[in-house]
Amino acid sequence: MEIAQMALNSTHAGTYWAAFEHLSAYSVQLSIFERLWAAWYAFMQNDVLATGIMSFTVHEIVYFGRSLPWMVVDCIPAFKKYKIQNQKIPTAQEQWKCMRFVLLSHFTVELPQIWLFHPMAQYFGLSTTVPFPPLVTMAYQICIFFIIEDTWHYWTHRALHWGPLYKHVHKIHHEYSAPFGLTAEYASPIEVMMLGIGTIGPPILWCAVTNNLHILTMYVWISLRLFQAIDAHSGYEFPWSLHHFLPFWAGANHHDVHHERFVGNYSSSFRWWDYLLDTEAGPEASEKRRLRKLAKAGKSA
């Protein structure tokens, strides 16, 4: 990072703000965010360490920052009418138990993966420099990651419902038949790693093939993926929920049925794999199958 190195050469072992001020004086063409970013790498003097700390911090802030509003909503009676399984409101004890488990998983399972991501992706050409990539570039890359991740999640999740894998791996995640936001990453270490490939793998593959990926795009992608996963586990269906405007979006009502019935609705973000492979769950899906069978029986009669 040439700009960061310039700040480093000037500030040596100085403070972060000294690096920022010096860089700002010579890089007025950069935005404030870009200067803050470059100063961080200059101050840390170690790209792996700088990226590791920032990546884990982003993950924790986004995960618990997005889960907290759902914890508040669970405490407000006025929202109970929007709760999909409104007879099952998580208790404070259940929330605390889930949080302890998730925190343990984050530090023992996800932290090593996050730490290893930078050197692995940088080997394939990951960029951490400034200026940042155009928003259009970030947007189409993230859309591609969503589609690839959803495909990986569908097939891996469906495999996890196979007898032995369900019993020894996936059963932990289904401990809560009525999910709530924090349960998005309440899973065994093996499952976290298996499904995590769908989140981390597409950017690494994209980087290896195109040599065109900035880690900021990765952070936005991870943040949106966490939002999706937490909202899907929220247990709430609102008139303004996204799937009402994007019919192919999965959302909470799609995944909540999966937790309630323990089968079907295997996709993460979109509905098309479940639709195409007839693995949709719920009363409407069951009724459609019944009508199809009746129509087929009528034709063969």
Side-chain angles (χ1 to χ4, degrees), residues 83-90 94 166 171-180 183 186 232-235 252-263:
K83 183 74 173 173
I84 299 169
Q85 299 183 58
N86 58 18
Q87 75 284 7
K88 297 178 181 179
I89 303 295
E94 288 175 324
Y166 181 85
K171 188 176 181 180
I172 294 174
H173 185 65
H174 276 277
E175 183 177 327
Y176 298 100
S177 58
F180 47 94
T183 61
Y186 185 87
H233 287 83
S234 68
N253 72 329
H254 181 267
H255 195 66
D256 204 276
V257 172
H258 173 79
H259 274 264
E260 183 181 15
R261 296 175 176 245
F262 298 93
V263 68

Side-chain angles (χ1 to χ4, degrees), residues 99-291:
M99 183 179 291
R100 291 200 312 268
F101 185 95
V102 168
L103 275 170
L104 179 64
S105 176
H106 283 183
F107 278 94
T108 59
V109 181
E110 296 195 30
L111 179 57
Q113 296 178 64
I114 289 172
W115 213 267
L116 288 171
F117 171 78
H118 177 269
M120 186 185 303
Q122 196 168 49
Y123 173 81
F124 291 111
L126 177 76
S127 173
T128 58
T129 62
V130 289
F132 296 141
L135 289 177
V136 172
T137 300
M138 294 174 65
Y140 83 74
Q141 289 176 349
I142 290 170
C143 286
I144 291 170
F145 298 160
F146 260 113
I147 292 170
I148 297 174
E149 189 283 329
D150 183 73
T151 301
W152 175 269
H153 190 102
Y154 176 86
W155 290 104
T156 306
H157 188 189
R158 189 170 178 178
L160 285 169
H161 277 263
W162 173 63
L165 282 178
Y166 181 85
K167 180 180 179 181
H168 298 292
V169 178
H170 191 50
K171 188 176 181 180
I172 294 174
H173 185 65
H174 276 277
E175 183 177 327
Y176 298 100
S177 58
F180 47 94
L182 278 172
T183 61
E185 292 186 347
Y186 185 87
S188 74
I190 295 174
E191 179 173 346
V192 170
M193 288 187 285
M194 288 175 67
L195 294 179
I197 292 172
T199 302
I200 302 298
I204 292 177
L205 181 62
W206 178 267
C207 196
V209 173
T210 68
N211 197 33
N212 177 26
L213 181 67
H214 197 283
I215 197 167
L216 179 63
T217 306
M218 185 69 184
Y219 287 159
V220 176
W221 153 239
I222 292 294
S223 298
L224 291 175
R225 175 70 179 97
L226 286 173
F227 265 61
Q228 179 277 320
I230 293 164
D231 289 358
H233 287 83
S234 68
Y236 285 89
E237 165 68 11
F238 298 106
W240 55 85
S241 293
L242 185 58
H243 76 91
H244 292 300
F245 307 97
L246 293 175
F248 54 82
W249 187 254
N253 72 329
H254 181 267
H255 195 66
D256 204 276
V257 172
H258 173 79
H259 274 264
E260 183 181 15
R261 296 175 176 245
F262 298 93
V263 68
N265 290 6
Y266 300 114
S267 293
S268 56
S269 300
F270 309 114
R271 295 173 182 252
W272 47 58
W273 281 112
D274 285 300
Y275 174 78
L276 291 172
L277 299 174
D278 197 24
T279 52
E280 291 179 299
E284 291 184 10
S286 298
E287 179 63 15
K288 287 178 182 178
R289 289 191 190 95
R290 189 184 71 83
L291 292 175

